[in-house]
Amino acid sequence: QLLAELAGVRARGCAVNVEESEEGVASVAVAVHGPRLAPAAALAVSGPVSRMTGEVIGRIEAALRERGSWLAAQLARAT
């Protein structure tokens, strides 16, 4: 089951955790890939589940993807 979940996260490029690690907390994270496409960093946002609705999680995911892409481009230029 863990391997299937990891494969899904890799395919989506994003991980969402709603009360899986901590009761009352939801998190969204994306990997930032370095010049050789290996993960170089991660960006994540966590908040109370009362505020992390599906719509909010979607907006956070989009923002993290955008900033992650920008950061990956900066890493590529730096090497």
Side-chain angles (χ1 to χ4, degrees):
Q1 183 177 346
L2 175 61
L3 293 178
E5 178 68 21
L6 290 174
V9 168
R10 189 175 292 120
R12 287 188 311 272
C14 155
V16 176
N17 174 333
V18 179
E19 295 189 293
E20 294 174 33
S21 301
E22 182 76 28
E23 186 176 333
V25 177
S27 303
V28 183
V30 298
V32 177
H33 297 282
R36 294 182 183 92
L37 298 179
L43 299 176
V45 172
S46 297
V49 293
S50 61
R51 294 185 181 180
M52 298 284 277
T53 63
E55 179 185 337
V56 170
I57 287 173
R59 289 195 318 244
I60 291 170
E61 180 182 334
L64 288 175
R65 287 178 188 276
E66 178 183 328
R67 279 127 182 109
S69 293
W70 178 86
L71 186 54
Q74 299 305 307
L75 289 171
R77 285 189 202 129
T79 57

